[in-house]
Amino acid sequence: MPQTAPPFSELLANCQRSAVHLEMRDFYDDPDEAPRVAAWKAGHRPDPNDRASWWRPWLDMVSEAVSRGVVIRRARIVSEPVSEYTRYLYDGTFTNIAAGEQVRWLPRRNASDLALPGNDFWCFDDRLVRFGYFSGEGVYLGDEVDDRAEVVKLCASAFEAVWDRAIPHDRYRI
């Protein structure tokens, strides 16, 4: 049964083997991220040699989980030509990879015959799904977790189908 999600940091800290994330939106309106997006629009790019300036505490959580043996994969389904926000994500993805994530991109036109859940999600250890809900304008509205076997199976299968078709970050060009 869906229920309110505990903090993401807790979900990742309790993860033992794998965490997969499927992103299906072309824009997210996150107030915490707005200053980084504005800086990017003004021409700022993260410095690969200045890890201390990268997105914290997210990258620290990822690095810690990966150091414990958790495999973290992120797949992004994107419209092409890509949105300005997707270009922003693309330019900063090297930080996710440096922290230990594996990232792939799937052009939306290549996902038409895939059965996908209606919302972005994280799936932890193939046992728990955390759905994220967003408004039409990309504003985060909340999340919930679901541990029903059929929901977990749907999300895990959908993620693997996307992952199999998606292009690794180092080969994807926008």
Side-chain angles (χ1 to χ4, degrees):
M1 199 70 172
Q3 47 195 294
T4 303
F8 185 86
S9 56
E10 183 180 316
L11 292 169
L12 192 56
N14 291 327
C15 190
Q16 297 176 0
R17 296 179 318 280
S18 69
V20 299
H21 185 35
L22 183 59
E23 297 176 355
M24 298 182 282
R25 299 185 55 85
D26 290 318
F27 177 73
Y28 297 89
D29 186 7
D30 178 352
D32 293 336
E33 188 178 48
R36 291 189 300 277
V37 174
W40 177 85
K41 286 180 180 181
H44 172 76
R45 298 298 181 264
D47 180 352
N49 298 314
D50 184 12
R51 290 179 74 104
S53 69
W54 298 353
W55 183 21
R56 304 283 184 222
W58 172 254
L59 297 172
D60 295 327
M61 285 192 303
V62 169
S63 293
E64 190 279 326
V66 170
S67 73
R68 290 187 287 109
V70 176
V71 175
I72 300 178
R73 297 182 293 159
R74 178 186 303 260
R76 293 176 170 144
I77 298 175
V78 296
S79 299
E80 291 181 324
V82 300
S83 68
E84 181 179 45
Y85 182 82
T86 298
R87 285 194 303 276
Y88 157 76
L89 288 177
Y90 183 86
D91 283 351
T93 294
F94 77 90
T95 64
N96 298 74
I97 292 168
E101 283 189 47
Q102 300 171 42
V103 180
R104 292 187 181 181
W105 304 80
L106 181 64
R108 192 170 307 282
R109 71 178 178 276
N110 296 336
S112 296
D113 61 341
L114 297 178
L116 301 170
N119 296 288
D120 289 9
F121 66 85
W122 279 90
C123 186
F124 299 94
D125 291 332
D126 291 324
R127 66 171 180 74
L128 181 73
V129 174
R130 176 189 176 262
F131 290 106
Y133 302 117
F134 298 87
S135 75
E137 298 296 328
V139 175
Y140 173 71
L141 300 174
D143 51 55
E144 62 186 10
V145 294
D146 198 321
D147 63 358
R148 292 177 292 172
E150 65 274 14
V151 173
V152 172
K153 182 178 179 182
L154 168 72
C155 291
S157 296
F159 181 87
E160 292 305 328
V162 169
W163 188 257
D164 286 347
R165 289 187 185 181
I167 303 163
H169 177 73
D170 64 345
R171 293 194 354 241
Y172 183 68
R173 300 292 173 254
I174 59 171

PDB file of all heavy atoms in Angstrom, residues 12 51 56-70 72 95-96 98-101:
ATOM      1  N   LEU A  12      18.351   5.642   0.951  1.00  0.00           N
ATOM      2  CA  LEU A  12      19.637   5.288   0.352  1.00  0.00           C
ATOM      3  C   LEU A  12      20.580   4.677   1.387  1.00  0.00           C
ATOM      4  O   LEU A  12      21.305   3.725   1.085  1.00  0.00           O
ATOM      5  CB  LEU A  12      20.277   6.508  -0.312  1.00  0.00           C
ATOM      6  CG  LEU A  12      21.470   6.219  -1.218  1.00  0.00           C
ATOM      7  CD1 LEU A  12      21.120   5.227  -2.323  1.00  0.00           C
ATOM      8  CD2 LEU A  12      22.004   7.515  -1.814  1.00  0.00           C
ATOM      9  N   ARG A  51      35.883  19.578  -6.817  1.00  0.00           N
ATOM     10  CA  ARG A  51      34.805  18.723  -6.315  1.00  0.00           C
ATOM     11  C   ARG A  51      34.041  19.367  -5.160  1.00  0.00           C
ATOM     12  O   ARG A  51      32.862  19.107  -4.984  1.00  0.00           O
ATOM     13  CB  ARG A  51      35.358  17.367  -5.880  1.00  0.00           C
ATOM     14  CG  ARG A  51      35.817  16.505  -7.035  1.00  0.00           C
ATOM     15  CD  ARG A  51      36.380  15.186  -6.545  1.00  0.00           C
ATOM     16  NE  ARG A  51      35.347  14.291  -6.105  1.00  0.00           N
ATOM     17  CZ  ARG A  51      34.903  13.241  -6.789  1.00  0.00           C
ATOM     18  NH1 ARG A  51      35.419  12.956  -7.956  1.00  0.00           N
ATOM     19  NH2 ARG A  51      33.966  12.461  -6.312  1.00  0.00           N
ATOM     20  N   ARG A  56      26.088  19.360  -3.265  1.00  0.00           N
ATOM     21  CA  ARG A  56      26.138  18.697  -1.965  1.00  0.00           C
ATOM     22  C   ARG A  56      24.794  18.840  -1.283  1.00  0.00           C
ATOM     23  O   ARG A  56      24.115  19.829  -1.512  1.00  0.00           O
ATOM     24  CB  ARG A  56      27.218  19.343  -1.078  1.00  0.00           C
ATOM     25  CG  ARG A  56      28.585  19.366  -1.669  1.00  0.00           C
ATOM     26  CD  ARG A  56      29.219  18.019  -1.581  1.00  0.00           C
ATOM     27  NE  ARG A  56      30.592  18.105  -2.093  1.00  0.00           N
ATOM     28  CZ  ARG A  56      31.129  17.194  -2.865  1.00  0.00           C
ATOM     29  NH1 ARG A  56      30.466  16.148  -3.219  1.00  0.00           N
ATOM     30  NH2 ARG A  56      32.356  17.315  -3.285  1.00  0.00           N
ATOM     31  N   PRO A  57      24.351  17.954  -0.462  1.00  0.00           N
ATOM     32  CA  PRO A  57      25.009  16.734   0.007  1.00  0.00           C
ATOM     33  C   PRO A  57      24.761  15.517  -0.892  1.00  0.00           C
ATOM     34  O   PRO A  57      25.210  14.427  -0.586  1.00  0.00           O
ATOM     35  CB  PRO A  57      24.388  16.504   1.382  1.00  0.00           C
ATOM     36  CG  PRO A  57      22.998  17.020   1.236  1.00  0.00           C
ATOM     37  CD  PRO A  57      23.106  18.206   0.280  1.00  0.00           C
ATOM     38  N   TRP A  58      24.025  15.715  -2.011  1.00  0.00           N
ATOM     39  CA  TRP A  58      23.673  14.591  -2.869  1.00  0.00           C
ATOM     40  C   TRP A  58      24.875  13.738  -3.246  1.00  0.00           C
ATOM     41  O   TRP A  58      24.870  12.521  -3.080  1.00  0.00           O
ATOM     42  CB  TRP A  58      22.977  15.087  -4.144  1.00  0.00           C
ATOM     43  CG  TRP A  58      22.782  13.980  -5.114  1.00  0.00           C
ATOM     44  CD1 TRP A  58      23.468  13.757  -6.267  1.00  0.00           C
ATOM     45  CD2 TRP A  58      21.884  12.881  -4.971  1.00  0.00           C
ATOM     46  NE1 TRP A  58      23.039  12.602  -6.860  1.00  0.00           N
ATOM     47  CE2 TRP A  58      22.058  12.038  -6.072  1.00  0.00           C
ATOM     48  CE3 TRP A  58      20.939  12.528  -4.010  1.00  0.00           C
ATOM     49  CZ2 TRP A  58      21.337  10.875  -6.257  1.00  0.00           C
ATOM     50  CZ3 TRP A  58      20.212  11.362  -4.190  1.00  0.00           C
ATOM     51  CH2 TRP A  58      20.420  10.549  -5.301  1.00  0.00           C
ATOM     52  N   LEU A  59      25.903  14.352  -3.778  1.00  0.00           N
ATOM     53  CA  LEU A  59      27.040  13.581  -4.275  1.00  0.00           C
ATOM     54  C   LEU A  59      27.762  12.842  -3.154  1.00  0.00           C
ATOM     55  O   LEU A  59      28.288  11.747  -3.363  1.00  0.00           O
ATOM     56  CB  LEU A  59      27.985  14.478  -5.058  1.00  0.00           C
ATOM     57  CG  LEU A  59      27.348  15.090  -6.309  1.00  0.00           C
ATOM     58  CD1 LEU A  59      28.257  16.127  -6.931  1.00  0.00           C
ATOM     59  CD2 LEU A  59      26.958  14.033  -7.320  1.00  0.00           C
ATOM     60  N   ASP A  60      27.739  13.392  -1.959  1.00  0.00           N
ATOM     61  CA  ASP A  60      28.337  12.694  -0.814  1.00  0.00           C
ATOM     62  C   ASP A  60      27.529  11.438  -0.470  1.00  0.00           C
ATOM     63  O   ASP A  60      28.104  10.388  -0.181  1.00  0.00           O
ATOM     64  CB  ASP A  60      28.401  13.620   0.406  1.00  0.00           C
ATOM     65  CG  ASP A  60      29.323  14.801   0.184  1.00  0.00           C
ATOM     66  OD1 ASP A  60      30.333  14.649  -0.538  1.00  0.00           O
ATOM     67  OD2 ASP A  60      29.033  15.882   0.722  1.00  0.00           O
ATOM     68  N   MET A  61      26.186  11.540  -0.523  1.00  0.00           N
ATOM     69  CA  MET A  61      25.347  10.365  -0.253  1.00  0.00           C
ATOM     70  C   MET A  61      25.591   9.281  -1.291  1.00  0.00           C
ATOM     71  O   MET A  61      25.687   8.095  -0.950  1.00  0.00           O
ATOM     72  CB  MET A  61      23.859  10.742  -0.266  1.00  0.00           C
ATOM     73  CG  MET A  61      23.382  11.480   0.952  1.00  0.00           C
ATOM     74  SD  MET A  61      21.567  11.591   1.048  1.00  0.00           S
ATOM     75  CE  MET A  61      21.136  12.389  -0.486  1.00  0.00           C
ATOM     76  N   VAL A  62      25.698   9.675  -2.551  1.00  0.00           N
ATOM     77  CA  VAL A  62      25.944   8.706  -3.622  1.00  0.00           C
ATOM     78  C   VAL A  62      27.296   8.032  -3.415  1.00  0.00           C
ATOM     79  O   VAL A  62      27.404   6.801  -3.461  1.00  0.00           O
ATOM     80  CB  VAL A  62      25.872   9.381  -5.004  1.00  0.00           C
ATOM     81  CG1 VAL A  62      26.394   8.455  -6.100  1.00  0.00           C
ATOM     82  CG2 VAL A  62      24.447   9.822  -5.308  1.00  0.00           C
ATOM     83  N   SER A  63      28.318   8.818  -3.186  1.00  0.00           N
ATOM     84  CA  SER A  63      29.665   8.259  -2.987  1.00  0.00           C
ATOM     85  C   SER A  63      29.701   7.280  -1.824  1.00  0.00           C
ATOM     86  O   SER A  63      30.321   6.221  -1.910  1.00  0.00           O
ATOM     87  CB  SER A  63      30.684   9.385  -2.735  1.00  0.00           C
ATOM     88  OG  SER A  63      30.839  10.162  -3.882  1.00  0.00           O
ATOM     89  N   GLU A  64      29.020   7.631  -0.743  1.00  0.00           N
ATOM     90  CA  GLU A  64      28.998   6.751   0.431  1.00  0.00           C
ATOM     91  C   GLU A  64      28.297   5.437   0.101  1.00  0.00           C
ATOM     92  O   GLU A  64      28.780   4.362   0.450  1.00  0.00           O
ATOM     93  CB  GLU A  64      28.293   7.461   1.594  1.00  0.00           C
ATOM     94  CG  GLU A  64      28.411   6.744   2.932  1.00  0.00           C
ATOM     95  CD  GLU A  64      27.417   5.591   3.093  1.00  0.00           C
ATOM     96  OE1 GLU A  64      26.290   5.684   2.572  1.00  0.00           O
ATOM     97  OE2 GLU A  64      27.788   4.573   3.729  1.00  0.00           O
ATOM     98  N   ALA A  65      27.166   5.505  -0.586  1.00  0.00           N
ATOM     99  CA  ALA A  65      26.429   4.285  -0.938  1.00  0.00           C
ATOM    100  C   ALA A  65      27.248   3.413  -1.886  1.00  0.00           C
ATOM    101  O   ALA A  65      27.333   2.192  -1.705  1.00  0.00           O
ATOM    102  CB  ALA A  65      25.085   4.643  -1.567  1.00  0.00           C
ATOM    103  N   VAL A  66      27.861   4.027  -2.879  1.00  0.00           N
ATOM    104  CA  VAL A  66      28.678   3.274  -3.832  1.00  0.00           C
ATOM    105  C   VAL A  66      29.858   2.620  -3.120  1.00  0.00           C
ATOM    106  O   VAL A  66      30.209   1.468  -3.397  1.00  0.00           O
ATOM    107  CB  VAL A  66      29.141   4.185  -5.001  1.00  0.00           C
ATOM    108  CG1 VAL A  66      30.190   3.504  -5.862  1.00  0.00           C
ATOM    109  CG2 VAL A  66      27.934   4.608  -5.847  1.00  0.00           C
ATOM    110  N   SER A  67      30.425   3.317  -2.155  1.00  0.00           N
ATOM    111  CA  SER A  67      31.556   2.736  -1.412  1.00  0.00           C
ATOM    112  C   SER A  67      31.134   1.517  -0.593  1.00  0.00           C
ATOM    113  O   SER A  67      31.956   0.663  -0.286  1.00  0.00           O
ATOM    114  CB  SER A  67      32.210   3.788  -0.510  1.00  0.00           C
ATOM    115  OG  SER A  67      31.394   4.077   0.605  1.00  0.00           O
ATOM    116  N   ARG A  68      29.824   1.427  -0.274  1.00  0.00           N
ATOM    117  CA  ARG A  68      29.294   0.257   0.434  1.00  0.00           C
ATOM    118  C   ARG A  68      28.915  -0.866  -0.520  1.00  0.00           C
ATOM    119  O   ARG A  68      28.429  -1.910  -0.106  1.00  0.00           O
ATOM    120  CB  ARG A  68      28.040   0.635   1.238  1.00  0.00           C
ATOM    121  CG  ARG A  68      28.270   1.501   2.433  1.00  0.00           C
ATOM    122  CD  ARG A  68      26.994   1.684   3.272  1.00  0.00           C
ATOM    123  NE  ARG A  68      26.004   2.568   2.634  1.00  0.00           N
ATOM    124  CZ  ARG A  68      24.844   2.184   2.113  1.00  0.00           C
ATOM    125  NH1 ARG A  68      24.486   0.917   2.127  1.00  0.00           N
ATOM    126  NH2 ARG A  68      24.017   3.051   1.547  1.00  0.00           N
ATOM    127  N   GLY A  69      29.080  -0.642  -1.828  1.00  0.00           N
ATOM    128  CA  GLY A  69      28.769  -1.666  -2.811  1.00  0.00           C
ATOM    129  C   GLY A  69      27.426  -1.511  -3.499  1.00  0.00           C
ATOM    130  O   GLY A  69      27.015  -2.383  -4.273  1.00  0.00           O
ATOM    131  N   VAL A  70      26.712  -0.406  -3.245  1.00  0.00           N
ATOM    132  CA  VAL A  70      25.426  -0.173  -3.889  1.00  0.00           C
ATOM    133  C   VAL A  70      25.677   0.323  -5.322  1.00  0.00           C
ATOM    134  O   VAL A  70      26.457   1.251  -5.529  1.00  0.00           O
ATOM    135  CB  VAL A  70      24.587   0.866  -3.111  1.00  0.00           C
ATOM    136  CG1 VAL A  70      23.282   1.174  -3.837  1.00  0.00           C
ATOM    137  CG2 VAL A  70      24.317   0.389  -1.695  1.00  0.00           C
ATOM    138  N   ILE A  72      24.337   2.319  -8.332  1.00  0.00           N
ATOM    139  CA  ILE A  72      23.341   3.364  -8.550  1.00  0.00           C
ATOM    140  C   ILE A  72      23.308   3.684 -10.043  1.00  0.00           C
ATOM    141  O   ILE A  72      24.325   4.061 -10.624  1.00  0.00           O
ATOM    142  CB  ILE A  72      23.649   4.628  -7.727  1.00  0.00           C
ATOM    143  CG1 ILE A  72      23.662   4.274  -6.234  1.00  0.00           C
ATOM    144  CG2 ILE A  72      22.628   5.725  -8.023  1.00  0.00           C
ATOM    145  CD1 ILE A  72      24.001   5.433  -5.320  1.00  0.00           C
ATOM    146  N   THR A  95      29.394  15.130 -12.734  1.00  0.00           N
ATOM    147  CA  THR A  95      29.534  15.075 -11.279  1.00  0.00           C
ATOM    148  C   THR A  95      28.842  13.835 -10.717  1.00  0.00           C
ATOM    149  O   THR A  95      29.360  13.210  -9.795  1.00  0.00           O
ATOM    150  CB  THR A  95      28.985  16.349 -10.608  1.00  0.00           C
ATOM    151  OG1 THR A  95      27.581  16.461 -10.838  1.00  0.00           O
ATOM    152  CG2 THR A  95      29.702  17.593 -11.120  1.00  0.00           C
ATOM    153  N   ASN A  96      27.682  13.474 -11.279  1.00  0.00           N
ATOM    154  CA  ASN A  96      27.001  12.249 -10.864  1.00  0.00           C
ATOM    155  C   ASN A  96      27.892  11.038 -11.121  1.00  0.00           C
ATOM    156  O   ASN A  96      27.995  10.136 -10.283  1.00  0.00           O
ATOM    157  CB  ASN A  96      25.684  12.061 -11.627  1.00  0.00           C
ATOM    158  CG  ASN A  96      24.685  13.160 -11.392  1.00  0.00           C
ATOM    159  OD1 ASN A  96      24.846  14.261 -11.914  1.00  0.00           O
ATOM    160  ND2 ASN A  96      23.655  12.884 -10.630  1.00  0.00           N
ATOM    161  N   ALA A  98      31.170  10.998 -11.493  1.00  0.00           N
ATOM    162  CA  ALA A  98      32.347  11.036 -10.613  1.00  0.00           C
ATOM    163  C   ALA A  98      32.008  10.530  -9.215  1.00  0.00           C
ATOM    164  O   ALA A  98      32.850   9.933  -8.543  1.00  0.00           O
ATOM    165  CB  ALA A  98      32.905  12.456 -10.534  1.00  0.00           C
ATOM    166  N   ALA A  99      30.758  10.730  -8.785  1.00  0.00           N
ATOM    167  CA  ALA A  99      30.339  10.246  -7.462  1.00  0.00           C
ATOM    168  C   ALA A  99      30.056   8.749  -7.463  1.00  0.00           C
ATOM    169  O   ALA A  99      29.936   8.142  -6.410  1.00  0.00           O
ATOM    170  CB  ALA A  99      29.105  11.016  -7.001  1.00  0.00           C
ATOM    171  N   GLY A 100      29.927   8.154  -8.675  1.00  0.00           N
ATOM    172  CA  GLY A 100      29.725   6.714  -8.752  1.00  0.00           C
ATOM    173  C   GLY A 100      28.451   6.268  -9.437  1.00  0.00           C
ATOM    174  O   GLY A 100      28.213   5.069  -9.574  1.00  0.00           O
ATOM    175  N   GLU A 101      27.611   7.211  -9.852  1.00  0.00           N
ATOM    176  CA  GLU A 101      26.397   6.835 -10.577  1.00  0.00           C
ATOM    177  C   GLU A 101      26.749   6.405 -11.997  1.00  0.00           C
ATOM    178  O   GLU A 101      27.719   6.882 -12.578  1.00  0.00           O
ATOM    179  CB  GLU A 101      25.440   8.025 -10.696  1.00  0.00           C
ATOM    180  CG  GLU A 101      24.673   8.357  -9.465  1.00  0.00           C
ATOM    181  CD  GLU A 101      23.605   9.408  -9.737  1.00  0.00           C
ATOM    182  OE1 GLU A 101      22.855   9.275 -10.733  1.00  0.00           O
ATOM    183  OE2 GLU A 101      23.524  10.365  -8.955  1.00  0.00           O
TER     184      GLU A 101
END
